[in-house]
Amino acid sequence: MSEPEYLFTYGTLRRQHDHPMGDWLSTLSEDLGPAKASGQLYQLGEYPGAVAPSGEGQWIIGDLKRMPRPNLVWPRLDLYEACVPDNDEASLFVRSQVEVYPEGDHPPVTAWIYFYNRPIGKYALIPSGDYFNL
């Protein structure tokens, strides 16, 4: 059995968003609550896209999830995120690991995040870093 892994969600997979994929994910993960990760968030249309930070003090607001059986989650999530493992060029989103800081007095954890993998020039930055606080 694999070790638990962590996932940082910032858009349609967050618990506030009513989406079938988020509902499915909640059956295979434990919600650890609000958290933040270094980066920038852009409005891509019907969903947001996160990118690595371009400077200090840039944060993405989201939720931290613990996945006891990640091997059951990754194939379906990768498909949902148009992520092709081992082929970044073909991927709309790339799964990467980042330090995530849970809200409250909890130590940071290393978690997976899906970073947007296309140019962001034409998209609007979400200054708050929070998809639910445009």
Side-chain angles (χ1 to χ4, degrees):
M1 184 170 182
S2 60
E3 289 292 314
E5 294 184 17
Y6 296 91
L7 173 67
F8 178 72
T9 63
Y10 55 81
T12 59
L13 297 176
R14 287 180 70 184
R15 66 183 178 279
Q16 298 99 314
H17 198 284
D18 185 25
H19 192 281
M21 185 57 79
D23 295 342
W24 171 81
L25 181 60
S26 70
T27 67
L28 293 171
S29 64
E30 175 188 357
D31 185 7
L32 299 179
K36 66 182 182 178
S38 184
Q40 292 179 293
L41 198 61
Y42 287 83
Q43 178 62 40
L44 305 180
E46 294 184 22
Y47 53 87
V51 298
S54 62
E56 295 290 318
Q58 298 171 336
W59 295 101
I60 302 165
I61 306 303
D63 298 325
L64 182 61
K65 299 181 182 302
R66 180 179 174 272
M67 301 182 304
R69 297 166 45 197
N71 57 322
L72 297 178
V73 175
W74 293 132
R76 190 164 174 187
L77 272 187
D78 285 347
L79 185 63
Y80 175 72
E81 299 286 358
C83 174
V84 182
D86 302 321
N87 189 347
D88 289 355
E89 197 171 294
S91 298
L92 181 61
F93 286 84
V94 176
R95 186 165 25 112
S96 303
Q97 289 190 309
V98 295
E99 282 292 293
V100 174
Y101 300 86
E103 196 172 83
D105 191 25
H106 303 284
V109 299
T110 300
W112 292 99
I113 186 174
Y114 284 93
F115 278 131
Y116 185 60
N117 193 38
R118 298 287 186 266
I120 46 91
K122 67 179 182 177
Y123 297 111
L125 175 69
I126 299 173
S128 68
D130 186 345
Y131 184 55
F132 295 104
N133 184 18
L134 301 174

